[in-house]
Amino acid sequence: MTGGRAGYDDVVVTTPVTVPYVRYSMRGAHWFLARALTGLLKQSGLGKDRIDGLCVSSFTLTPDSAVGLTQHLGMTLRWLDHIPMGGACGVVALRRAARAVQSGDATAVACIAGDTNHTDSFRLNLGTFSQFARDAVYPYGSGGPNASFAFITDYYMRKYGAKREDFGKLCVAQRANALKFPYALMKKPLTLEEYLNARVIAEPLRLYDCVMPCAGAEAFLVLRRGDAEKLDQPYARLLATIERHNAFPDDPIQYRSGWALDCDELYAQAGVGPRDINVVAAYDDYPVINVMQLEDLGFCNKGESPDFVRRHSFTAEGSFPFNTSGGQLSVGQAGAAGGFLGLVEIIRQITGQTIGAAVTKARFGLASGFGMINYDRGLCSGAVILATRQQ
Amino acid sequence: MTRPLTRPPRKNPILRTRVPNLPPGSRSRVTLGLTAAAARGRLELQTCRDCGTVQYPPREACRVCLSQRLEWKVQNGTGELLSETTLHHSNELFYRERLPWRLGMVRLDCGPVVVAHLHGDCVRPPSRVCIHANIDRAGQAALVAMPEKDTPNMADDRQLREMTCDPKFRKVLITDAKSPVGQSLVEAIVKAGADLVWAGYAEPWKKPPGFERLSSLPQVSLVPLDLTDSRAVKNLAGEIGGRVDILINTADHHRNYGINAREGIEVARAEMDINYFGLLRLAQEFAPAMRARGADGQSSAVAWVNLLSIFALSNFPPHGTYSASKAAALSLAQCLRAEFAPAGVRVINVFPGPIDDEWNQALPPPQIAPSRVAAEILEALRGGAEDVFPGDVAEDWMARWRDNPKVLERELAAMR
């Protein structure tokens, strides 16, 4: 089983949409997904009947899947996918949609992700998140992802000498970015001192290490370049993608993920290297995952991210622009939309449609995803590299 | 180091008793295998018969070779603590009421990595620990990482005490304290630090040797209790029922022979009246208050122990009607366990082999000493088990029953 991977030719990504986040909502997931779709149609000028492919990610859509949503929203489609991959769903949705458009199985694919958040829905989802979670994790303290990432963080800090201040620097920088992003739920500046002295959630994690669950949705369109130009939609070209599931299963505690296996291939397919990337959106439900991505995606060596963090500013205007919308840590985690947030921000940066802090002359952007703490670690990882239209 | 438990102050009668909450209790069917082993006080993990891989969490196929020939095998639980956290936030009420809560990830020497409750005396990772499987308040197996070597007062660990039924500073009713097992139990439970032992007795004219000495212990309070008398059971429950933390039903009526050797049903009826209806009367009167006190502070209601018999599993024809009454009691005890589940009160069933007492005089050795039965009951209360098989005969019959109940039936029929 060999064979090089085909490029993406003239597949493009357009129309970044965010449905404003709220902490709690009485609406269902369908409401947020419908608004996301409406946003795509309005912004692109496409009629609903021109969308012939749909890719959906949502945790709270149950008992419906993408299929139910077609009837719910009155769409007749010839291509449909449902990506239950949490934080990796944006990257994976784009990969699937791009091949569908490239092969002609669909001409316009709407990728939407969103969730609602009722006052008790987060807890109810945790208990039934996966068989292993229900059998072997949730009964132990019922800490949810906070507990899982506390284990990973504790291990990483001991193994590589990372300090709370290192994680704090990323959180503080992301907050600075978020203050310019209109949809961020966190509106107040964050100081390192506040970060370090916040209330303990799951040692060593404190309040500002943890994402806040909320309701909201994100969306983008995948088209052929010609169609995007006809619609007068600014677009980003898709240079390269990777995905991996259950990488390094024999690591007793997670300190790396699939990117470490696939990152060379990602840059080879894109024809650029880590130094060429102008803006990065990493999956940031907890800062330890940020630093893991910096290493596994080749921005620094394994174990060297504490030093890397100390050398950069991570704001949109500073060195190494990173999670320029504020990331989930400052915008909020709207369920599966968390897997889209970074990618949608990279589309905005690359197409010059930022609504927050803009990175000047961003030619290449990288978005990565990470998801699904099935038992003790995130299983899904992925990344994409997007480029501006003029290359 | 664990701080030793102190005697709880008298309960303030004005304060509302907390409603019991439970840790999450839902499990896939395959994971109930872990619970089935923990119910007997064992840590067993799925092991592949084809490639030998030991795996956790439980699966429907071997994660290495995909074989479905998986069996549950006893593991010694030793391993390395790799990572830890202490929760100061939880999504479930049971834990919210008990924060902070310490957890660890442990790589077992036999292979898999487990998430476990972490005993307070385990030192920071990396360190050596030993995993035990306890039945938690939800009635499911819970893995607990303990220090590799015993530490002072380790049973008093706050988290561990939520997964055990330690009699220390608890109030215990022993329904028949006169029988040989009853006497041994009174002694063992007092020694284990119980606050108060109500020693039940019927037939006040019977004065077995040793009973007087036990009843003079300061922790022991004699209470008349005849399980055949519904009113007497009700009255006693009215008097002490709201304070019983552990109830140990040792009352037992044991006569020999099966069907043919006797005429009429009087003896069988007397056996049923104590062994089955006695349990039913007790349960109806004492269980409601215990259910309400499943989360009543440091010394909440925690356990109900039934002294059954290994004859409950399969009829032993030389003691045929007695076996039948114990089988009835076992069935009722399973019902009681299900009804206690929402309160987090553990029902412990004890299946001793023939006890060295007057009614087993004619049975060949080995017989089990009453003190050993008492010791194993105490061990179950302090540990995590809910089914106890004291003595070599009980272990042997249990193994045969698990292997093939029909074969055991034939073997028992052949015993005379």
Side-chain angles (χ1 to χ4, degrees):
Chain A
M1 285 179 270
T2 54
R5 288 173 56 202
Y8 290 99
D9 304 333
D10 61 350
V11 172
V12 299
V13 193
T14 73
T15 328
V17 165
T18 298
V19 177
Y21 289 15
V22 289
R23 175 78 169 105
Y24 294 113
S25 171
M26 62 179 174
R27 314 285 187 185
H30 303 72
W31 189 89
F32 286 93
L33 293 169
R35 272 199 69 180
L37 186 67
T38 308
L40 288 179
L41 300 180
K42 265 195 189 156
Q43 208 167 304
S44 66
L46 276 174
K48 193 172 74 172
D49 57 347
R50 292 277 309 280
I51 303 282
D52 59 358
L54 180 68
C55 190
V56 181
S57 293
S58 177
F59 292 107
T60 53
L61 193 60
T62 49
D64 281 359
S65 67
V67 178
L69 202 62
T70 63
Q71 195 168 36
H72 203 102
L73 302 180
M75 302 175 82
T76 301
L77 304 166
R78 59 174 181 160
W79 186 93
L80 181 66
D81 206 346
H82 189 128
I83 313 274
M85 297 184 195
C89 68
V91 169
V92 175
L94 175 51
R95 288 190 106 214
R96 304 283 192 276
R99 291 303 186 197
V101 169
Q102 185 180 24
S103 66
D105 289 349
T107 56
V109 177
C111 296
I112 57 178
D115 271 294
T116 187
N117 188 43
H118 308 316
T119 50
D120 198 30
S121 57
F122 185 71
R123 181 184 73 89
L124 294 173
N125 286 340
L126 287 178
T128 53
F129 190 77
S130 68
Q131 177 163 321
F132 285 178
R134 184 185 53 171
D135 286 350
V137 185
Y138 196 61
Y140 295 83
S142 308
N146 293 334
S148 302
F149 282 97
F151 285 133
I152 292 171
T153 306
D154 179 60
Y155 185 79
Y156 184 92
M157 288 172 81
R158 203 170 23 256
K159 192 173 170 85
Y160 294 118
K163 301 267 180 278
R164 297 248 326 128
E165 285 78 358
D166 302 327
F167 298 136
K169 182 171 177 186
L170 287 173
C171 294
V172 168
Q174 288 192 203
R175 181 62 61 88
N177 289 335
L179 295 178
K180 297 175 182 162
F181 187 75
Y183 300 134
L185 288 181
M186 309 296 171
K187 302 287 188 200
K188 280 191 275 184
L190 177 69
T191 66
L192 187 61
E193 197 168 32
E194 285 168 324
Y195 168 89
L196 292 173
N197 297 324
R199 111 183 130 85
V200 181
I201 301 295
E203 295 172 25
L205 303 181
R206 291 178 182 243
L207 186 64
Y208 300 114
D209 291 303
C210 309
V211 283
M212 186 169 80
C214 62
E218 305 271 343
F220 57 83
L221 277 179
V222 179
L223 305 167
R224 280 179 182 271
R225 184 201 306 247
D227 290 330
E229 280 168 353
K230 268 183 242 160
L231 290 165
D232 203 20
Q233 283 294 295
Y235 61 81
R237 292 183 303 127
L238 178 57
L239 296 190
T241 68
I242 50 170
E243 80 177 81
R244 182 69 67 165
H245 306 282
N246 197 24
F248 307 115
D250 295 322
D251 289 348
I253 310 272
Q254 185 164 44
Y255 66 94
R256 54 184 174 170
S257 190
W259 312 289
L261 283 178
D262 303 312
C263 129
D264 290 347
E265 185 186 309
L266 176 74
Y267 292 116
Q269 190 182 26
V272 300
R275 287 171 186 282
D276 302 314
I277 303 293
N278 307 113
V279 55
V280 173
Y283 191 78
D284 67 325
D285 49 356
Y286 296 81
V288 71
I289 296 304
N290 276 341
V291 302
M292 229 179 257
Q293 284 160 97
L294 293 175
E295 296 167 353
D296 292 351
L297 287 164
F299 297 107
C300 62
N301 290 325
K302 192 78 221 161
E304 289 177 3
S305 62
D307 181 57
F308 185 84
V309 168
R310 289 161 207 163
R311 282 191 284 116
H312 288 286
S313 74
F314 302 102
T315 53
E317 307 80 6
S319 65
F320 203 82
F322 182 78
N323 287 346
T324 45
S325 65
Q328 297 179 79
L329 284 167
S330 280
V331 178
Q333 181 180 55
F340 269 48
L341 176 73
L343 176 54
V344 168
E345 171 66 7
I346 293 296
I347 299 169
R348 287 197 176 107
Q349 292 284 3
I350 292 298
T351 56
Q353 300 179 89
T354 45
I355 52 178
V359 177
T360 48
K361 295 186 188 152
R363 291 172 61 206
F364 299 102
L366 185 151
S368 77
F370 173 77
M372 306 306 282
I373 307 280
N374 187 62
Y375 170 49
D376 58 340
R377 64 193 67 202
L379 293 188
C380 311
S381 64
V384 303
I385 295 177
L386 300 182
T388 50
R389 59 194 298 178
Q390 322 87 352
Q391 287 301 325
Chain B
M1 242 182 346
T2 309
R3 231 184 313 161
L5 223 54
T6 53
R7 190 166 191 271
R10 271 183 88 86
K11 192 178 165 186
N12 183 345
I14 297 170
L15 296 182
R16 171 178 170 268
T17 303
R18 274 194 154 173
V19 174
N21 286 306
L22 299 181
S26 165
R27 301 288 189 280
S28 63
R29 185 171 195 278
V30 68
T31 295
L32 292 178
L34 192 73
T35 293
R40 300 184 57 200
R42 297 177 179 187
L43 171 67
E44 288 182 1
L45 297 178
Q46 264 186 337
T47 308
C48 177
R49 284 178 199 242
D50 289 328
C51 76
T53 300
V54 180
Q55 65 182 7
Y56 182 86
R59 294 162 163 91
E60 303 279 359
C62 172
R63 75 171 189 93
V64 176
C65 74
L66 301 181
S67 166
Q68 296 183 315
R69 303 197 325 128
L70 304 171
E71 60 181 338
W72 291 91
K73 274 199 171 166
V74 174
Q75 307 292 336
N76 70 8
T78 57
E80 189 179 6
L81 176 65
L82 295 176
S83 183
E84 74 156 292
T85 182
T86 300
L87 300 183
H88 294 256
H89 172 275
S90 174
N91 295 287
E92 292 294 331
L93 290 171
F94 176 85
Y95 290 110
R96 288 176 93 96
E97 292 171 348
R98 290 161 177 80
L99 294 171
W101 195 269
R102 194 176 182 218
L103 303 169
M105 284 186 75
V106 176
R107 179 171 47 191
L108 294 170
D109 297 338
C110 61
V113 175
V114 305
V115 175
H117 303 293
L118 187 56
H119 188 284
D121 288 346
C122 294
V123 297
R124 288 275 302 156
S127 65
R128 298 290 300 171
V129 294
C130 187
I131 296 284
H132 294 246
N134 278 28
I135 296 290
D136 71 5
R137 289 282 177 259
Q140 298 291 12
L143 302 181
V144 186
M146 306 276 278
E148 226 184 10
K149 293 195 181 98
D150 285 2
T151 56
N153 312 306
M154 68 190 298
D156 291 354
D157 179 75
R158 191 177 55 82
Q159 287 183 205
L160 186 61
R161 207 168 146 95
E162 294 289 355
M163 270 161 278
T164 61
C165 307
D166 198 314
K168 188 171 178 184
F169 294 128
R170 284 198 161 102
K171 297 179 172 61
V172 183
L173 169 62
I174 296 169
T175 59
D176 178 4
K178 268 187 186 172
S179 69
V181 171
Q183 290 196 35
S184 295
L185 261 175
V186 171
E187 191 145 23
I189 297 287
V190 165
K191 225 169 142 189
D195 212 31
L196 175 59
V197 176
W198 288 289
Y201 67 97
E203 302 170 329
W205 60 89
K206 260 197 204 164
K207 298 234 184 315
F211 186 59
E212 201 155 329
R213 185 183 64 81
L214 285 182
S215 41
S216 66
L217 291 172
Q219 296 90 341
V220 174
S221 168
L222 293 185
V223 287
L225 178 56
D226 178 353
L227 293 197
T228 64
D229 182 346
S230 299
R231 184 173 297 269
V233 175
K234 191 181 207 56
N235 287 346
L236 185 65
E239 215 177 295
I240 67 169
R243 294 156 71 207
V244 174
D245 304 320
I246 298 173
L247 188 151
I248 308 179
N249 183 20
T250 48
D252 180 54
H253 191 72
H254 186 176
R255 294 295 179 267
N256 299 349
Y257 307 121
I259 301 167
N260 273 333
R262 279 199 221 107
E263 276 201 14
I265 62 165
E266 298 314 314
V267 171
R269 193 199 296 267
E271 285 169 339
M272 289 295 280
D273 205 17
I274 289 189
N275 298 347
Y276 174 75
F277 287 109
L279 170 58
L280 182 55
R281 289 183 189 101
L282 268 179
Q284 284 180 341
E285 300 302 338
F286 280 87
M290 288 179 74
R291 266 199 296 274
R293 290 188 50 251
D296 195 8
Q298 178 188 294
S299 296
S300 55
V302 278
W304 179 297
V305 182
N306 295 306
L307 184 64
L308 303 173
S309 161
I310 194 66
F311 302 164
L313 288 186
S314 189
N315 194 284
F316 179 54
H319 295 204
T321 57
Y322 175 72
S323 299
S325 73
K326 287 299 189 182
L330 168 58
S331 184
L332 191 67
Q334 290 172 326
C335 175
L336 183 65
R337 182 176 282 153
E339 292 188 7
F340 262 134
V345 174
R346 192 194 304 170
V347 170
I348 298 175
N349 287 334
V350 186
F351 303 82
I355 296 171
D356 187 9
D357 68 13
E358 52 192 330
W359 296 104
N360 290 318
Q361 184 218 336
L363 293 186
Q367 295 184 2
I368 182 169
S371 59
R372 168 107 185 264
V373 177
E376 295 215 13
I377 290 175
L378 186 61
E379 195 187 316
L381 287 169
R382 283 171 163 167
E386 68 173 30
D387 287 325
V388 187
F389 298 85
D392 297 335
V393 172
E395 278 291 342
D396 178 56
W397 288 24
M398 178 58 180
R400 289 167 194 265
W401 184 79
R402 279 167 68 94
D403 181 55
N404 191 330
K406 179 53 81 178
V407 171
L408 177 63
E409 182 194 309
R410 287 292 187 277
E411 290 177 305
L412 295 182
M415 284 176 79
R416 289 279 170 250

